[in-house]
Amino acid sequence: MLNNTEFRNSNIPSSALCNGISMNTLRQKSLLNRPAFLRIFKCLYGDSKDEEELYSELTGKNVHIITTIQSWEEKLTEATRDGKILVANFSTPWSGPCRSIAPTYGELADKYPSLMFLTVDVDTLAEFSTSWEISATPTFFFIKEGRQVDKFVGADKVQLPKKIAAVANATRV
C-alpha cells in the first residue's frame, strides 16, 4: 500500500498505482487528483486513451473544453459578440458526479445551440476556478454579456435540464 507521500509523487508508475489502492479510498482521502486519475485510468484500461479522448467521451460535440485562460476569454468574447448565454460547467474528468452528468450536459448542448456550452477543468485551471468560488463539482454558471446570471451546483439529471431549458427560453423573450 502506498502512503500519501509516495502517492503524490508524480513519478509513480501506473503499475504501482494499481496495487492495493481503490478509487473509493483515494476519493475519500481526497488524494485522487487529475494526474493520479489519468495514471490509474491508464493502468486499468490501458494506455489507449489520452486526456483529450477521455474528455471527448465526457462531453457532447457542442461542448468546448476549456484548459487555458486564453480559451476561456475567447469563448466568453464569442458568446458576448453572438448574444449567447454561456453555460460553464466547472468539473473534473475523474469525479463520479461530473462523469455521471456529462452525457446529460452533452445532450443539452446539442439540444440548445442557442447557448454556448463550456467545460472548465478545475484541476488544470485551479486558481481560475478558485476565483469563481467553486466549492463542489460540478458547478454550472450561466453567463450573459460577461456577467453571471445564474448558478447550479450538482449532478442532478432532472433539475439541470429544467434549469437550462428555463435559461434558453428566457433568451427568446
XYZ file of all heavy atoms in Angstrom, residues 8-82:
601
model
N 1.583 10.965 -3.920
C 1.623 12.294 -4.527
C 2.817 12.478 -5.466
O 2.842 13.386 -6.267
C 1.634 13.372 -3.453
C 0.316 13.463 -2.732
C 0.400 14.516 -1.630
N -0.752 14.453 -0.785
C -1.836 15.190 -0.952
N -1.914 16.028 -1.941
N -2.848 15.081 -0.120
N 3.801 11.598 -5.367
C 4.967 11.668 -6.234
C 4.535 11.397 -7.671
O 4.005 10.356 -7.987
C 5.995 10.629 -5.770
C 7.234 10.637 -6.622
O 7.279 11.286 -7.656
N 8.236 9.927 -6.189
N 4.766 12.355 -8.545
C 4.280 12.235 -9.921
C 5.023 11.170 -10.720
O 4.629 10.849 -11.818
C 4.394 13.582 -10.638
O 5.747 13.972 -10.710
N 6.110 10.627 -10.175
C 6.873 9.616 -10.902
C 6.451 8.192 -10.575
O 7.103 7.249 -10.979
C 8.364 9.777 -10.605
C 8.887 11.099 -11.127
O 8.487 11.538 -12.194
N 9.734 11.744 -10.364
N 5.360 8.026 -9.847
C 4.894 6.686 -9.520
C 4.415 6.017 -10.804
O 3.592 6.579 -11.523
C 3.739 6.729 -8.507
C 4.238 7.299 -7.187
C 3.158 5.340 -8.289
C 3.137 7.532 -6.190
N 4.926 4.830 -11.102
C 4.471 4.164 -12.325
C 3.034 3.698 -12.193
O 2.550 3.428 -11.099
C 5.429 2.973 -12.454
C 5.944 2.739 -11.084
C 5.925 4.083 -10.389
N 2.360 3.598 -13.318
C 0.966 3.165 -13.318
C 0.788 1.834 -12.611
O -0.177 1.629 -11.892
C 0.448 3.051 -14.749
O 0.445 4.298 -15.359
N 1.712 0.918 -12.801
C 1.571 -0.400 -12.190
C 1.534 -0.314 -10.666
O 0.810 -1.059 -10.010
C 2.708 -1.319 -12.625
O 3.954 -0.755 -12.254
N 2.288 0.616 -10.087
C 2.289 0.758 -8.627
C 0.948 1.278 -8.134
O 0.493 0.902 -7.058
C 3.400 1.700 -8.187
N 0.311 2.130 -8.915
C -0.978 2.676 -8.511
C -2.077 1.624 -8.544
O -3.102 1.768 -7.907
C -1.363 3.847 -9.420
C -0.553 5.108 -9.206
C -0.850 6.115 -10.294
C -0.811 5.698 -7.850
N -1.873 0.576 -9.318
C -2.895 -0.462 -9.438
C -2.839 -1.464 -8.291
O -3.739 -2.264 -8.142
C -2.733 -1.210 -10.757
S -3.165 -0.192 -12.167
N -1.782 -1.433 -7.516
C -1.608 -2.423 -6.462
C -2.071 -1.901 -5.117
O -1.428 -1.069 -4.510
C -0.137 -2.840 -6.362
C 0.343 -3.512 -7.617
O -0.414 -4.235 -8.242
N 1.572 -3.245 -8.009
N -3.219 -2.362 -4.668
C -3.644 -2.101 -3.297
C -4.377 -0.815 -3.029
O -4.662 -0.522 -1.880
N -4.682 -0.008 -4.018
C -5.399 1.243 -3.774
C -6.685 1.227 -4.584
O -6.662 1.049 -5.791
C -4.562 2.471 -4.171
C -3.322 2.568 -3.289
C -5.383 3.740 -4.049
C -2.449 3.752 -3.604
N -7.803 1.438 -3.911
C -9.069 1.512 -4.626
C -9.399 2.967 -4.938
O -8.959 3.877 -4.234
C -10.194 0.893 -3.802
O -10.555 1.757 -2.751
N -10.195 3.174 -5.973
C -10.619 4.529 -6.329
C -11.402 5.153 -5.175
O -11.249 6.324 -4.891
C -11.482 4.502 -7.589
C -10.753 3.982 -8.813
S -9.620 5.177 -9.470
C -10.603 5.769 -10.825
N -12.249 4.371 -4.495
C -13.034 4.903 -3.383
C -12.143 5.370 -2.251
O -12.381 6.420 -1.655
C -14.030 3.864 -2.869
C -15.195 3.684 -3.807
O -15.502 4.577 -4.587
N -15.831 2.542 -3.749
N -11.094 4.600 -1.937
C -10.164 5.005 -0.882
C -9.511 6.324 -1.235
O -9.413 7.229 -0.409
C -9.087 3.925 -0.673
O -9.725 2.714 -0.295
C -8.092 4.332 0.392
N -9.070 6.434 -2.468
C -8.423 7.671 -2.907
C -9.382 8.841 -2.840
O -9.022 9.934 -2.393
C -7.899 7.505 -4.335
C -6.802 6.464 -4.509
C -6.523 6.252 -5.986
C -5.551 6.878 -3.777
N -10.612 8.634 -3.297
C -11.604 9.699 -3.292
C -11.901 10.144 -1.865
O -11.985 11.331 -1.568
C -12.876 9.214 -3.989
C -13.562 10.281 -4.758
C -14.742 9.771 -5.550
N -14.324 9.072 -6.759
C -14.595 7.801 -7.009
N -15.293 7.077 -6.198
N -14.183 7.241 -8.124
N -12.062 9.180 -0.961
C -12.387 9.501 0.440
C -11.272 10.299 1.093
O -11.520 11.161 1.916
C -12.632 8.225 1.234
C -13.924 7.536 0.871
C -14.025 6.139 1.461
O -13.098 5.649 2.085
N -15.164 5.504 1.242
N -10.044 10.014 0.726
C -8.908 10.716 1.324
C -8.533 11.964 0.538
O -7.526 12.592 0.812
C -7.710 9.776 1.423
C -7.940 8.640 2.406
C -6.711 7.781 2.518
C -6.954 6.691 3.547
N -5.776 5.860 3.741
N -9.338 12.306 -0.458
C -9.092 13.483 -1.307
C -7.712 13.434 -1.955
O -7.064 14.453 -2.131
C -9.243 14.775 -0.499
O -10.554 14.895 -0.033
N -7.275 12.232 -2.288
C -5.966 12.090 -2.910
C -6.049 11.892 -4.413
O -5.048 11.893 -5.095
C -5.230 10.879 -2.307
C -4.872 10.988 -0.835
C -4.272 9.679 -0.361
C -3.908 12.124 -0.606
N -7.250 11.690 -4.918
C -7.392 11.384 -6.340
C -7.501 12.673 -7.140
O -8.563 13.228 -7.337
C -8.621 10.501 -6.571
C -8.766 9.935 -7.975
C -7.537 9.128 -8.352
C -9.998 9.076 -8.060
N -6.359 13.162 -7.587
C -6.351 14.365 -8.412
C -6.267 13.973 -9.880
O -6.219 12.792 -10.219
C -5.191 15.274 -8.009
C -3.853 14.572 -8.119
O -3.693 13.611 -8.853
N -2.884 15.054 -7.364
N -6.247 14.928 -10.754
C -6.282 14.653 -12.185
C -5.125 13.781 -12.665
O -5.354 12.773 -13.340
C -6.319 15.974 -12.933
C -6.291 15.824 -14.419
C -6.116 17.181 -15.039
N -5.992 17.049 -16.462
C -6.499 17.882 -17.306
N -7.173 18.912 -16.880
N -6.337 17.717 -18.582
N -3.861 14.123 -12.353
C -2.773 13.267 -12.841
C -2.885 11.838 -12.300
O -2.641 10.884 -13.023
C -1.508 13.959 -12.326
C -1.910 15.367 -12.080
C -3.362 15.311 -11.678
N -3.282 11.721 -11.047
C -3.425 10.388 -10.464
C -4.547 9.623 -11.141
O -4.406 8.432 -11.441
C -3.694 10.499 -8.969
N -5.651 10.292 -11.398
C -6.763 9.634 -12.078
C -6.326 9.111 -13.437
O -6.618 7.979 -13.808
C -7.942 10.587 -12.261
C -8.974 10.047 -13.217
C -9.857 9.070 -12.808
C -9.022 10.484 -14.521
C -10.786 8.551 -13.692
C -9.939 9.968 -15.406
C -10.828 8.998 -14.986
N -5.629 9.939 -14.193
C -5.209 9.519 -15.523
C -4.269 8.328 -15.464
O -4.363 7.415 -16.284
C -4.568 10.696 -16.271
C -5.539 11.820 -16.631
C -4.788 13.015 -17.187
C -6.584 11.337 -17.596
N -3.369 8.307 -14.468
C -2.467 7.159 -14.335
C -3.245 5.901 -13.975
O -3.001 4.833 -14.528
C -1.387 7.450 -13.298
C -0.344 8.448 -13.797
C 0.887 8.462 -12.927
N 0.620 8.756 -11.547
C 0.597 9.980 -11.007
N 0.818 11.029 -11.763
N 0.359 10.153 -9.734
N -4.194 6.022 -13.062
C -4.993 4.859 -12.672
C -5.862 4.406 -13.840
O -5.970 3.219 -14.119
C -5.846 5.177 -11.432
C -4.939 5.326 -10.219
C -6.876 4.082 -11.195
C -5.638 5.856 -8.994
N -6.460 5.368 -14.534
C -7.302 5.039 -15.684
C -6.500 4.258 -16.718
O -6.941 3.234 -17.224
C -7.858 6.325 -16.301
C -8.853 6.085 -17.390
C -10.188 5.937 -17.094
C -8.446 6.005 -18.717
C -11.125 5.721 -18.092
C -9.363 5.778 -19.723
C -10.706 5.638 -19.409
N -5.303 4.730 -17.018
C -4.460 4.045 -17.990
C -4.055 2.665 -17.491
O -3.943 1.725 -18.262
C -3.238 4.892 -18.327
C -3.579 6.075 -19.210
C -2.365 6.886 -19.562
C -2.758 8.034 -20.481
N -1.608 8.795 -20.913
N -3.817 2.556 -16.191
C -3.460 1.268 -15.622
C -4.603 0.275 -15.780
O -4.404 -0.868 -16.181
C -3.114 1.433 -14.143
S -2.801 -0.113 -13.295
N -5.805 0.721 -15.480
C -6.958 -0.170 -15.517
C -7.427 -0.462 -16.930
O -7.878 -1.570 -17.228
C -8.113 0.442 -14.716
C -7.866 0.602 -13.217
C -9.025 1.339 -12.577
C -7.668 -0.752 -12.557
N -7.349 0.525 -17.815
C -7.924 0.382 -19.142
C -6.905 0.423 -20.271
O -7.266 0.425 -21.427
C -8.981 1.468 -19.369
C -10.065 1.411 -18.337
C -10.122 2.339 -17.312
C -11.008 0.397 -18.358
C -11.107 2.269 -16.345
C -11.989 0.319 -17.395
C -12.037 1.266 -16.387
O -13.009 1.184 -15.430
N -5.638 0.474 -19.930
C -4.603 0.506 -20.950
C -4.263 1.922 -21.363
O -4.958 2.872 -21.008
N -3.194 2.073 -22.084
C -2.718 3.392 -22.495
C -3.362 3.876 -23.782
O -2.890 4.815 -24.402
C -1.197 3.372 -22.672
C -0.472 3.302 -21.346
O -1.025 3.824 -20.361
O 0.625 2.726 -21.299
N -4.458 3.256 -24.187
C -5.053 3.603 -25.472
C -5.769 4.946 -25.463
O -6.028 5.506 -26.509
C -6.035 2.513 -25.900
O -7.087 2.415 -24.964
N -6.094 5.469 -24.301
C -6.834 6.726 -24.254
C -5.963 7.820 -23.657
O -5.408 7.670 -22.587
C -8.093 6.575 -23.410
C -9.058 5.594 -24.006
C -10.305 5.503 -23.213
C -11.166 4.435 -23.852
N -12.527 4.515 -23.476
N -5.882 8.923 -24.367
C -5.176 10.060 -23.809
C -6.194 11.003 -23.176
O -7.394 10.759 -23.191
C -4.305 10.768 -24.850
C -5.107 11.419 -25.964
O -6.347 11.521 -25.859
O -4.484 11.833 -26.947
N -5.700 12.071 -22.633
C -6.543 13.014 -21.903
C -7.657 13.590 -22.767
O -8.798 13.697 -22.342
C -5.643 14.139 -21.391
C -6.185 14.885 -20.249
C -5.129 15.782 -19.649
O -3.930 15.482 -19.716
O -5.545 16.808 -19.108
N -7.343 13.967 -24.001
C -8.355 14.541 -24.871
C -9.454 13.533 -25.197
O -10.621 13.879 -25.244
C -7.712 15.077 -26.161
C -6.853 16.308 -25.942
C -7.622 17.459 -25.325
O -8.762 17.733 -25.740
O -7.077 18.102 -24.413
N -9.063 12.273 -25.422
C -10.063 11.248 -25.692
C -10.973 11.058 -24.488
O -12.181 10.898 -24.636
C -9.398 9.906 -26.020
C -8.833 9.813 -27.405
C -8.221 8.457 -27.643
O -7.106 8.223 -27.141
O -8.869 7.636 -28.315
N -10.382 11.069 -23.306
C -11.163 10.918 -22.086
C -12.173 12.047 -21.963
O -13.346 11.823 -21.682
C -10.233 10.903 -20.869
C -10.873 10.710 -19.512
C -11.662 9.402 -19.469
C -9.811 10.713 -18.438
N -11.737 13.286 -22.219
C -12.656 14.414 -22.168
C -13.735 14.302 -23.227
O -14.890 14.588 -22.973
C -11.903 15.736 -22.370
C -11.502 16.388 -21.097
C -10.170 16.555 -20.773
C -12.458 16.836 -20.198
C -9.796 17.159 -19.599
C -12.086 17.438 -19.023
C -10.763 17.604 -18.724
O -10.402 18.202 -17.564
N -13.356 13.908 -24.438
C -14.336 13.852 -25.514
C -15.429 12.841 -25.204
O -16.564 13.007 -25.631
C -13.670 13.549 -26.848
O -13.162 12.233 -26.857
N -15.112 11.798 -24.450
C -16.122 10.824 -24.052
C -17.093 11.405 -23.032
O -18.192 10.910 -22.860
C -15.459 9.587 -23.452
C -14.718 8.759 -24.463
C -14.010 7.582 -23.835
O -14.191 7.351 -22.619
O -13.286 6.896 -24.548
N -16.659 12.453 -22.352
C -17.471 13.033 -21.288
C -18.248 14.260 -21.736
O -18.872 14.915 -20.925
C -16.575 13.414 -20.097
C -15.827 12.260 -19.446
C -14.923 12.781 -18.350
C -16.791 11.224 -18.903
N -18.202 14.580 -23.020
C -18.872 15.785 -23.494
C -19.618 15.500 -24.792
O -19.457 14.450 -25.402
C -17.854 16.904 -23.755
O -16.970 16.472 -24.777
C -17.080 17.264 -22.510
N -20.402 16.459 -25.213
C -21.082 16.370 -26.497
C -20.278 17.115 -27.544
O -19.291 17.779 -27.243
N -20.737 17.019 -28.779
C -19.985 17.661 -29.860
C -20.043 19.184 -29.770
O -19.208 19.859 -30.341
C -20.491 17.178 -31.214
C -21.934 17.517 -31.493
C -22.394 16.959 -32.817
C -23.872 17.271 -32.988
N -24.415 16.663 -34.175
N -21.017 19.733 -29.051
C -21.142 21.180 -28.924
C -20.636 21.708 -27.583
O -20.976 22.817 -27.182
C -22.598 21.608 -29.130
C -23.030 21.421 -30.570
O -22.248 21.617 -31.490
N -24.267 21.018 -30.760
N -19.833 20.914 -26.894
C -19.243 21.345 -25.629
C -17.765 21.633 -25.876
O -17.039 20.803 -26.405
C -19.382 20.268 -24.531
C -18.698 20.729 -23.245
C -20.845 19.949 -24.268
N -17.339 22.828 -25.508
C -15.952 23.246 -25.686
C -15.194 23.007 -24.381
O -15.628 23.466 -23.321
C -15.873 24.718 -26.072
C -16.716 25.063 -27.255
N -16.294 24.859 -28.554
C -17.973 25.556 -27.339
C -17.250 25.240 -29.380
N -18.280 25.657 -28.669
N -14.077 22.302 -24.445
C -13.249 22.026 -23.273
C -12.314 23.209 -23.054
O -11.583 23.611 -23.963
C -12.420 20.740 -23.461
C -13.310 19.553 -23.797
C -11.580 20.460 -22.218
C -14.352 19.234 -22.755
N -12.326 23.746 -21.848
C -11.501 24.907 -21.509
C -10.382 24.469 -20.570
O -10.642 24.017 -19.454
C -12.352 26.013 -20.834
C -13.517 26.431 -21.740
C -11.480 27.202 -20.443
C -13.114 27.007 -23.077
N -9.145 24.606 -21.052
C -7.987 24.243 -20.236
C -6.986 25.379 -20.108
O -5.947 25.221 -19.481
C -7.280 22.994 -20.804
O -6.910 23.267 -22.156
C -8.173 21.767 -20.739
N -7.318 26.535 -20.718
C -6.455 27.715 -20.595
C -7.314 28.952 -20.376
O -8.475 28.988 -20.796
C -5.596 27.943 -21.862
O -6.455 28.285 -22.954
C -4.758 26.718 -22.209
N -6.736 29.948 -19.752
C -7.430 31.232 -19.563
C -7.716 31.856 -20.928
O -8.784 32.434 -21.140
C -6.588 32.196 -18.698
C -6.348 31.603 -17.301
C -7.245 33.562 -18.599
C -7.581 31.449 -16.459
N -6.775 31.712 -21.841
C -6.963 32.279 -23.179
C -8.194 31.682 -23.863
O -8.998 32.417 -24.441
C -5.725 32.041 -24.042
C -5.868 32.605 -25.442
C -4.651 32.338 -26.316
O -3.621 31.878 -25.841
N -4.775 32.630 -27.592
N -8.376 30.367 -23.790
C -9.550 29.761 -24.437
C -10.834 30.200 -23.737
O -11.866 30.394 -24.383
C -9.434 28.236 -24.495
O -9.349 27.664 -23.216
N -10.790 30.390 -22.410
C -11.949 30.912 -21.677
C -12.313 32.300 -22.197
O -13.470 32.578 -22.509
C -11.658 30.959 -20.175
C -12.656 31.754 -19.402
C -12.574 33.070 -19.053
C -13.928 31.297 -18.911
N -13.712 33.463 -18.365
C -14.551 32.391 -18.271
C -14.596 30.089 -18.951
C -15.799 32.292 -17.671
C -15.839 29.988 -18.350
C -16.434 31.079 -17.720
N -11.317 33.184 -22.271
C -11.569 34.556 -22.711
C -12.083 34.603 -24.147
O -12.974 35.401 -24.465
C -10.297 35.390 -22.546
C -9.967 35.637 -21.081
C -8.616 36.304 -20.855
O -7.846 36.473 -21.829
O -8.326 36.638 -19.694
N -11.547 33.740 -25.008
C -12.006 33.696 -26.393
C -13.477 33.287 -26.477
O -14.264 33.901 -27.206
C -11.155 32.712 -27.207
C -9.755 33.211 -27.487
C -8.842 32.139 -28.073
O -9.289 30.977 -28.258
O -7.670 32.463 -28.331
N -13.865 32.277 -25.730
C -15.253 31.799 -25.758
C -16.197 32.808 -25.108
O -17.323 33.005 -25.571
C -15.382 30.426 -25.094
C -14.722 29.325 -25.890
C -15.357 29.198 -27.259
C -14.718 28.143 -28.114
N -15.240 28.124 -29.480
N -15.754 33.462 -24.064
C -16.568 34.486 -23.408
C -16.812 35.647 -24.375
O -17.946 36.131 -24.504
C -15.879 34.969 -22.130
C -16.635 35.959 -21.262
C -17.942 35.366 -20.771
C -15.770 36.369 -20.079
N -15.776 36.064 -25.069
C -15.899 37.129 -26.063
C -16.827 36.707 -27.199
O -17.693 37.475 -27.629
C -14.506 37.506 -26.627
O -13.689 37.962 -25.543
C -14.604 38.579 -27.698
N -16.662 35.474 -27.666
C -17.500 34.960 -28.749
C -18.976 34.912 -28.332
O -19.852 35.319 -29.095
C -17.019 33.561 -29.138
C -17.777 32.928 -30.269
C -17.283 31.515 -30.579
O -16.096 31.213 -30.335
O -18.109 30.717 -31.062
N -19.242 34.424 -27.127
C -20.629 34.348 -26.644
C -21.239 35.741 -26.531
O -22.388 35.959 -26.939
C -20.681 33.638 -25.297
N -20.494 36.685 -26.014
C -20.985 38.060 -25.874
C -21.253 38.663 -27.251
O -22.309 39.257 -27.483
C -19.968 38.916 -25.091
O -19.785 38.331 -23.792
C -20.445 40.348 -24.934
N -20.316 38.490 -28.169
C -20.462 39.014 -29.536
C -21.688 38.430 -30.238
O -22.426 39.130 -30.923
C -19.200 38.707 -30.338
C -19.246 39.221 -31.772
C -18.122 38.682 -32.634
N -18.319 37.245 -32.827
C -17.356 36.319 -32.711
N -16.129 36.674 -32.412
N -17.625 35.048 -32.880
N -21.919 37.125 -30.020
C -23.030 36.438 -30.693
C -24.349 36.524 -29.920
O -25.357 35.963 -30.352
C -22.673 34.969 -30.930
C -21.496 34.800 -31.879
O -21.116 35.782 -32.564
O -20.946 33.684 -31.934
